[in-house]
Amino acid sequence: MKGQITKILSNLYFVTSDNKEYECHSRGRFRNDNITPVVGDYVIFDDKDNYILEIEPRLNNLDRPLVSNITQALIVTSVKSPNFSTNLLDKLLVVCECNKIKPVICFTKLDLLNKKETSEIKEYIKYYKKIGYKVLTNKNLFRLKKVFKNNTTVFTGQTGAGKSSLLNKLDKTLELETGEISKALGRGKHTTRHVELHSLFNGKVLDTPGFSDVDTSCYSKEQIRDAFIEFSKYNCPFKDCFHVKEKECTVKENVEKGNILKSRYENYIKFLNSK
Ligand code: ZN
């Protein structure tokens, strides 16, 4: 049978298949690929002996938290208190693109903005939508609930953006373990905690926020460039152009013309230079 590992407790692997849970054992490392099963893995298992036989090839795997096959990230982005950070949002988008994770941007705290700030944020929303991203706000609960279907989703975004309150609004039975909560409970750094995938709206959601230490320096310059998905639309005539120095670079031209958001280009240059 095929299933997905949703939880690991010492040597016990909890595998769900067709909404049923099986407690399985593993043979340890798998001979051929020398890997150990992690939460998120799709596995072939024997449902009579409850043994994991095979791990399917992974779409991706993250180190912190240790999890595989994340298909979607809900980037919870506050627009005020903490202020909107284009840098962090673009960084998270790069991490998603480099790991084949579909990002969904969810803006929060829009009600704290004045008129001028609201129209500024609306311009950003328009731009991120234009280049192809799904952009929602925490008021779109109905639409938000739909994005989970058939996905394995991780919540991410800045501390204080409202990740846990958003998840609680979506489903009161779930508790997303966020930095804020851990602090409030006075939990120490050394508390080891397992990660777990929960079922939510016909999909799965990870109970721990992902990419807590965002770092783009592990990606190549090419990967960072290609993660800015709108650049390729401008058909830069220079082969392998990094859109930095070349005079007739069409990406630079379109930044000047205002077709590419200035903050996007500036963040791109920052990430490139941090290499
Ligand atoms: Zn160029």
Side-chain angles (χ1 to χ4, degrees):
M1 280 186 85
K2 189 180 160 172
Q4 187 176 27
I5 299 179
T6 54
K7 186 167 61 169
I8 301 173
L9 289 178
S10 51
N11 292 324
L12 215 50
Y13 297 81
F14 294 76
V15 179
T16 58
S17 178
D18 277 338
N19 292 321
K20 263 178 83 180
E21 192 175 71
Y22 300 82
E23 292 179 18
C24 297
H25 290 276
S26 145
R27 300 173 300 183
R29 278 178 182 274
F30 283 74
R31 233 181 331 142
N32 294 335
D33 26 24
N34 201 30
I35 53 171
T36 0
V38 299
V39 169
D41 275 343
Y42 286 99
V43 295
I44 308 291
F45 67 101
D46 182 333
D47 61 324
K48 289 187 192 77
D49 298 338
N50 282 15
Y51 255 90
I52 294 175
L53 305 170
E54 222 178 282
I55 304 173
E56 304 257 287
R58 293 168 178 162
L59 170 74
N60 53 39
N61 51 341
L62 306 178
D63 286 340
R64 277 175 296 173
L66 190 61
V67 62
S68 71
N69 297 319
I70 293 290
T71 61
Q72 180 171 262
L74 197 69
I75 307 179
V76 185
T77 305
S78 162
V79 293
K80 189 132 194 177
S81 172
N83 287 340
F84 175 40
S85 163
T86 62
N87 187 282
L88 181 62
L89 175 59
D90 289 337
K91 219 178 249 178
L92 290 168
L93 289 170
V94 167
V95 175
C96 285
E97 295 295 340
C98 291
N99 287 289
K100 301 192 186 77
I101 295 171
K102 182 174 60 186
V104 175
I105 304 166
C106 179
F107 285 107
T108 61
K109 305 191 181 181
L110 278 96
D111 47 337
L112 298 181
L113 298 179
N114 63 33
K115 246 187 177 172
K116 187 172 158 271
E117 292 165 330
T118 304
S119 65
E120 279 167 13
I121 286 294
K122 277 189 176 158
E123 286 304 308
Y124 283 109
I125 293 178
K126 224 160 90 188
Y127 183 81
Y128 284 101
K129 274 186 183 171
K130 186 184 87 179
I131 63 173
Y133 289 125
K134 192 183 274 290
V135 186
L136 301 167
T137 77
N138 57 339
K139 303 287 174 215
N140 303 130
L141 281 188
F142 181 72
R143 289 185 61 205
L144 257 173
K145 286 176 182 176
K146 286 188 173 171
V147 305
F148 296 97
K149 192 176 176 184
N150 297 330
N151 277 302
T152 301
T153 303
V154 64
F155 275 62
T156 186
Q158 76 231 92
T159 309
K163 291 185 285 289
S164 50
S165 65
L166 182 61
L167 195 62
N168 288 340
K169 242 191 230 171
L170 290 166
D171 189 330
K172 285 191 174 57
T173 65
L174 296 175
E175 237 183 75
L176 182 74
E177 185 86 9
T178 67
E180 300 107 88
I181 291 177
S182 305
K183 247 184 242 160
L185 295 175
R187 288 189 189 164
K189 258 187 189 171
H190 305 291
T191 314
T192 45
R193 225 188 68 82
H194 65 265
V195 290
E196 188 170 345
L197 291 174
H198 295 279
S199 295
L200 185 72
F201 308 122
N202 297 312
K204 297 223 169 63
V205 60
L206 191 69
D207 65 348
T208 303
F211 339 122
S212 41
D213 306 308
V214 218
D215 187 13
T216 53
S217 62
C218 55
Y219 305 112
S220 70
K221 288 189 167 193
E222 285 80 3
Q223 278 179 304
I224 292 174
R225 176 194 59 199
D226 298 344
F228 281 78
I229 54 169
E230 68 269 47
F231 290 177
S232 65
K233 288 177 194 150
Y234 295 98
N235 296 316
C236 186
F238 301 100
K239 202 175 168 281
D240 301 325
C241 184
F242 278 99
H243 321 307
V244 180
K245 291 192 193 98
E246 292 76 1
K247 260 193 180 157
E248 285 152 57
C249 163
T250 52
V251 167
K252 281 173 64 190
E253 249 171 56
N254 280 283
V255 175
E256 293 300 316
K257 283 184 191 161
N259 293 328
I260 293 173
L261 205 63
K262 214 166 182 191
S263 60
R264 287 277 287 169
Y265 184 73
E266 285 168 357
N267 288 332
Y268 164 65
I269 298 295
K270 272 184 207 153
F271 303 158
L272 213 57
N273 288 339
S274 71
K275 287 293 303 164

